Amino acid sequence: MCSSDLIAAFQKINGCNGVKETKRIDNVGFDRTVAVLTTFDCKRAPLTRYVVEGGGHTWPGARTGIIADLVLGNTSEEFSATTEILAFFKTLR
């Protein structure tokens, strides 16, 4: 299943009527990435999509070194994937 198919499936499950907001985050210039956050307008459950443009095969917000950057590509520091996942799970009952 490709990314757009997966998002479409979650939009259907969560009762989404479209996009509420899309914003580009590029506060950290030296990481050579831009994070695009899309928040969908949903009735049953929230849905947010994070896309890292210019990123490599890395974990957003992780500490990296020169070797890791050369081998794996750029690591986005525009947001922390760990922080976002923890915030999501804290909203669950």
Side-chain angles (χ1 to χ4, degrees):
M1 182 179 281
C2 75
S3 177
S4 59
D5 292 340
L6 186 61
I7 288 295
F10 275 105
Q11 284 178 299
K12 185 175 180 180
I13 292 167
N14 293 1
C16 303
N17 294 319
V19 173
K20 184 189 300 184
E21 177 184 25
T22 299
K23 59 183 172 179
R24 295 175 61 82
I25 301 173
D26 190 15
N27 298 326
V28 182
F30 64 84
D31 70 356
R32 299 180 305 277
T33 69
V34 174
V36 180
L37 280 63
T38 304
T39 305
F40 295 90
D41 185 20
C42 305
K43 294 177 184 165
R44 292 191 284 275
L47 179 61
T48 302
R49 179 182 187 186
Y50 293 78
V51 174
V52 176
E53 296 176 350
H57 191 74
T58 60
W59 189 258
R63 283 190 256 166
T64 63
I66 294 171
I67 302 298
D69 289 346
L70 289 173
V71 173
L72 300 173
N74 300 327
T75 299
S76 181
E77 294 186 31
E78 304 301 337
F79 70 99
S80 167
T82 302
T83 300
E84 295 301 322
I85 291 168
L86 288 173
F88 168 76
F89 280 111
K90 285 182 180 179
T91 66
L92 301 178
R93 300 176 215 191

